[in-house]
Amino acid sequence: MKGTFPLAKFQALRTPFYYYDTKVLRDTLDTIRTEAGHYEAYAVHYAIKANANPNVLAVIRESGLGVDCVSGGEIRAAVKAGFPASKIVFAGVGKSDWEINLALDHDIFCFNVESIPELEVINMLAAAKGRKARVAFRINPNVGAHTHANITTGLAENKFGISMEDMDRVIDIALGMSNVEFIGLHFHIGSQILDMGDFTALCNRVNELQEKLEARQIRIPYINVGGGLGIDYAHPNRQPVPDFKAYFATYHAHLKLRPYQTLHFELGRSVVGQCGSLIARVLYVKQGTNKQFAILDAGMTDLIRPALYQAYHKIENISSDLPVQTYDVVGPVCESSDVFGKAVDLNGVRRGDFMAIRSAGAYGEIMASVYNCRELPQGYTSDELG
Ligand code: LLP
């Protein structure tokens, strides 16, 4: 089964471009609202790093989600898109002074702090403005996620967060500071996680740490468990909306939330991944010695995930119903790793056919580069194309 695309509308557009199906996006957002809505104290932030296309952000903003940012640029994009600063959280191991000042000026909800030196700078900059910054500590829970090594973040060897052993000490330091208010703990174990057992392991760790805090009579109103829910890259048509029911139910079943606490999530990929496709045209079909190549006008500069993470994206020839043949699907960039897929079965390919590289809504357009002096791809929503 192939996805459905407005091919007639595509004719007029310069390829490659990203196409965002807003029906899929809205269905996804509705499901998040319904499933998280079963639990009164749950608050979902959209991890804007996954996709900051303004038209995509506009749809997400309508749904009422907050935002998770990791840079000043992302805070600007979120504010510009109309998200309330009171729903913005700000993480990242290397926050610059201007980024901290920007966040203070907007009075964002919370800084997710990743080191003592960072805490000291936030306290100092907040003091200079006569402000008090709400802070949470990102604790490295040392929980492994069964995902690609480049996108696991919660192990002791990763650069992210503060170790569990240091938790008490950093809390004491924060409690002694006059311009920060310590409100909670933040975690994030990795991305593209499909095994609910990984989230259960995180819940168990959070429960242990909460008991440690309670033993010290420390009450925190805010727990943030990050993002990480994966999508079905192999079957974008069969499962366009990820299993949010199981995801939130896992937290409900395993994380012992206190009555005075809210539980925050930072979902990126699972919100936007399946609504987006990279649309390219076939430039040439080239016969190699033992194989044939479909050479596209899109390359690793437009979608770097296959080259960087050996990520699988389903590829469809949306212009053709010819009998299936096998191709290596490659881009024009001067790098051997500029390959979208090897030995891919596609309906017979001709020059000019439109190809859809599916499940590319997350970490696609936003990670594009101008290497080889290529133009950045445009992004269009189905609303825009009508
Ligand atoms: N919160 C924090 C602190 C994060 O670092 C991330 C992702 C998220 C939330 C959102 O995670 P998600 O729900 O999207 O899994 N470029 C890579 C993924 C990098 C993820 C970085 N952090 C890829 O294309 O697979």
Short mmCIF file of all heavy atoms in Angstrom, two decimals, residues 248-273:
data_model
loop_
_atom_site.label_atom_id
_atom_site.label_comp_id
_atom_site.label_asym_id
_atom_site.label_seq_id
_atom_site.Cartn_x
_atom_site.Cartn_y
_atom_site.Cartn_z
N PHE A 248 1.35 6.58 27.42
CA PHE A 248 0.92 7.28 28.64
C PHE A 248 0.49 6.28 29.72
O PHE A 248 0.71 6.51 30.91
CB PHE A 248 -0.19 8.29 28.34
CG PHE A 248 0.29 9.46 27.52
CD1 PHE A 248 -0.21 9.69 26.24
CD2 PHE A 248 1.26 10.33 28.01
CE1 PHE A 248 0.24 10.76 25.48
CE2 PHE A 248 1.73 11.40 27.26
CZ PHE A 248 1.21 11.62 25.99
N ALA A 249 -0.13 5.17 29.27
CA ALA A 249 -0.56 4.16 30.24
C ALA A 249 0.65 3.57 30.98
O ALA A 249 0.56 3.23 32.16
CB ALA A 249 -1.36 3.06 29.55
N THR A 250 1.77 3.46 30.28
CA THR A 250 2.98 2.93 30.92
C THR A 250 3.42 3.84 32.06
O THR A 250 3.73 3.38 33.17
CB THR A 250 4.12 2.81 29.87
OG1 THR A 250 3.69 1.92 28.85
CG2 THR A 250 5.41 2.30 30.49
N TYR A 251 3.41 5.14 31.79
CA TYR A 251 3.78 6.08 32.86
C TYR A 251 2.76 6.05 34.00
O TYR A 251 3.12 6.11 35.17
CB TYR A 251 3.94 7.50 32.29
CG TYR A 251 5.29 7.67 31.62
CD1 TYR A 251 5.43 7.53 30.25
CD2 TYR A 251 6.43 7.91 32.38
CE1 TYR A 251 6.67 7.64 29.64
CE2 TYR A 251 7.68 8.03 31.78
CZ TYR A 251 7.79 7.89 30.41
OH TYR A 251 9.02 7.99 29.82
N HIS A 252 1.49 5.94 33.61
CA HIS A 252 0.46 5.93 34.65
C HIS A 252 0.63 4.70 35.55
O HIS A 252 0.49 4.78 36.77
CB HIS A 252 -0.92 5.94 34.01
CG HIS A 252 -2.02 5.96 35.02
ND1 HIS A 252 -2.23 7.03 35.87
CD2 HIS A 252 -2.95 5.02 35.35
CE1 HIS A 252 -3.25 6.75 36.66
NE2 HIS A 252 -3.70 5.54 36.38
N ALA A 253 0.96 3.58 34.92
CA ALA A 253 1.05 2.33 35.69
C ALA A 253 2.31 2.30 36.56
O ALA A 253 2.30 1.68 37.63
CB ALA A 253 1.06 1.13 34.73
N HIS A 254 3.38 2.93 36.12
CA HIS A 254 4.66 2.71 36.80
C HIS A 254 5.23 3.91 37.54
O HIS A 254 6.06 3.73 38.43
CB HIS A 254 5.69 2.19 35.79
CG HIS A 254 5.30 0.87 35.20
ND1 HIS A 254 5.43 -0.31 35.90
CD2 HIS A 254 4.75 0.55 34.01
CE1 HIS A 254 4.98 -1.31 35.15
NE2 HIS A 254 4.55 -0.82 34.00
N LEU A 255 4.85 5.12 37.16
CA LEU A 255 5.47 6.26 37.84
C LEU A 255 4.57 6.74 38.97
O LEU A 255 3.40 7.08 38.75
CB LEU A 255 5.73 7.39 36.84
CG LEU A 255 6.70 8.45 37.37
CD1 LEU A 255 7.62 8.93 36.26
CD2 LEU A 255 5.98 9.64 37.98
N LYS A 256 5.14 6.74 40.17
CA LYS A 256 4.33 7.13 41.35
C LYS A 256 4.34 8.65 41.48
O LYS A 256 5.22 9.23 42.11
CB LYS A 256 4.90 6.48 42.61
CG LYS A 256 4.77 4.97 42.60
CD LYS A 256 5.21 4.37 43.93
CE LYS A 256 5.39 2.87 43.78
NZ LYS A 256 6.69 2.41 44.32
N LEU A 257 3.33 9.25 40.86
CA LEU A 257 3.23 10.71 40.88
C LEU A 257 2.54 11.14 42.16
O LEU A 257 1.54 10.54 42.56
CB LEU A 257 2.42 11.16 39.66
CG LEU A 257 2.61 12.58 39.18
CD1 LEU A 257 4.05 12.82 38.71
CD2 LEU A 257 1.63 12.89 38.05
N ARG A 258 3.08 12.15 42.82
CA ARG A 258 2.44 12.65 44.05
C ARG A 258 1.29 13.57 43.67
O ARG A 258 1.31 14.18 42.58
CB ARG A 258 3.45 13.40 44.92
CG ARG A 258 4.79 12.68 45.18
CD ARG A 258 4.60 11.27 45.70
NE ARG A 258 5.85 10.70 46.20
CZ ARG A 258 6.51 9.67 45.65
NH1 ARG A 258 6.06 9.08 44.57
NH2 ARG A 258 7.61 9.20 46.22
N PRO A 259 0.32 13.73 44.56
CA PRO A 259 -0.87 14.54 44.19
C PRO A 259 -0.54 15.99 43.86
O PRO A 259 -1.29 16.64 43.13
CB PRO A 259 -1.75 14.47 45.45
CG PRO A 259 -1.12 13.51 46.38
CD PRO A 259 0.22 13.13 45.90
N TYR A 260 0.55 16.49 44.37
CA TYR A 260 0.91 17.89 44.11
C TYR A 260 1.84 18.04 42.90
O TYR A 260 2.36 19.12 42.64
CB TYR A 260 1.58 18.50 45.36
CG TYR A 260 2.73 17.67 45.90
CD1 TYR A 260 4.02 17.81 45.40
CD2 TYR A 260 2.51 16.70 46.89
CE1 TYR A 260 5.06 17.02 45.85
CE2 TYR A 260 3.56 15.91 47.36
CZ TYR A 260 4.82 16.08 46.84
OH TYR A 260 5.84 15.30 47.28
N GLN A 261 2.02 16.95 42.14
CA GLN A 261 2.98 17.01 41.03
C GLN A 261 2.30 16.99 39.66
O GLN A 261 1.24 16.40 39.49
CB GLN A 261 3.93 15.81 41.11
CG GLN A 261 4.81 15.86 42.33
CD GLN A 261 5.79 14.71 42.40
OE1 GLN A 261 5.46 13.59 42.00
NE2 GLN A 261 6.98 14.99 42.90
N THR A 262 2.98 17.61 38.68
CA THR A 262 2.57 17.45 37.28
C THR A 262 3.69 16.69 36.56
O THR A 262 4.87 16.84 36.87
CB THR A 262 2.34 18.80 36.57
OG1 THR A 262 3.46 19.65 36.80
CG2 THR A 262 1.09 19.49 37.06
N LEU A 263 3.27 15.86 35.61
CA LEU A 263 4.23 15.06 34.85
C LEU A 263 4.30 15.60 33.43
O LEU A 263 3.29 15.67 32.73
CB LEU A 263 3.80 13.59 34.83
CG LEU A 263 4.79 12.63 34.17
CD1 LEU A 263 6.12 12.61 34.91
CD2 LEU A 263 4.22 11.21 34.11
N HIS A 264 5.50 16.00 33.03
CA HIS A 264 5.68 16.63 31.72
C HIS A 264 6.40 15.69 30.76
O HIS A 264 7.26 14.90 31.16
CB HIS A 264 6.49 17.93 31.87
CG HIS A 264 5.76 18.97 32.66
ND1 HIS A 264 5.37 20.17 32.13
CD2 HIS A 264 5.35 18.98 33.95
CE1 HIS A 264 4.74 20.88 33.05
NE2 HIS A 264 4.72 20.18 34.17
N PHE A 265 6.02 15.81 29.49
CA PHE A 265 6.61 14.99 28.42
C PHE A 265 7.14 15.93 27.35
O PHE A 265 6.59 17.02 27.15
CB PHE A 265 5.55 14.08 27.80
CG PHE A 265 4.92 13.13 28.78
CD1 PHE A 265 3.83 13.52 29.55
CD2 PHE A 265 5.42 11.85 28.94
CE1 PHE A 265 3.26 12.65 30.47
CE2 PHE A 265 4.84 10.97 29.85
CZ PHE A 265 3.76 11.37 30.62
N GLU A 266 8.17 15.48 26.64
CA GLU A 266 8.74 16.28 25.54
C GLU A 266 8.80 15.40 24.31
O GLU A 266 9.80 14.74 24.06
CB GLU A 266 10.16 16.72 25.89
CG GLU A 266 10.26 17.56 27.14
CD GLU A 266 11.70 17.75 27.60
OE1 GLU A 266 12.60 17.00 27.18
OE2 GLU A 266 11.91 18.67 28.41
N LEU A 267 7.73 15.40 23.54
CA LEU A 267 7.65 14.49 22.40
C LEU A 267 7.96 15.21 21.10
O LEU A 267 7.39 16.26 20.81
CB LEU A 267 6.25 13.88 22.33
CG LEU A 267 5.89 13.01 23.54
CD1 LEU A 267 4.41 12.62 23.49
CD2 LEU A 267 6.76 11.75 23.57
N GLY A 268 8.85 14.66 20.33
CA GLY A 268 9.22 15.26 19.06
C GLY A 268 8.83 14.37 17.89
O GLY A 268 7.83 14.58 17.21
N ARG A 269 9.62 13.32 17.70
CA ARG A 269 9.43 12.43 16.57
C ARG A 269 8.00 11.89 16.46
O ARG A 269 7.42 11.85 15.37
CB ARG A 269 10.40 11.25 16.70
CG ARG A 269 10.45 10.34 15.50
CD ARG A 269 11.25 9.07 15.79
NE ARG A 269 12.47 9.32 16.51
CZ ARG A 269 13.67 9.51 15.95
NH1 ARG A 269 13.80 9.46 14.65
NH2 ARG A 269 14.73 9.73 16.70
N SER A 270 7.44 11.47 17.59
CA SER A 270 6.13 10.84 17.55
C SER A 270 5.03 11.83 17.16
O SER A 270 3.96 11.43 16.73
CB SER A 270 5.80 10.20 18.90
OG SER A 270 5.94 11.15 19.94
N VAL A 271 5.30 13.14 17.31
CA VAL A 271 4.29 14.14 16.95
C VAL A 271 4.31 14.41 15.44
O VAL A 271 3.27 14.44 14.80
CB VAL A 271 4.55 15.48 17.71
CG1 VAL A 271 3.49 16.52 17.35
CG2 VAL A 271 4.60 15.25 19.22
N VAL A 272 5.49 14.58 14.88
CA VAL A 272 5.58 15.04 13.49
C VAL A 272 6.15 14.03 12.49
O VAL A 272 6.11 14.27 11.28
CB VAL A 272 6.42 16.35 13.39
CG1 VAL A 272 5.68 17.53 13.99
CG2 VAL A 272 7.79 16.16 14.03
N GLY A 273 6.71 12.93 13.00
CA GLY A 273 7.44 12.02 12.11
C GLY A 273 6.63 11.53 10.93
O GLY A 273 7.06 11.62 9.77
#
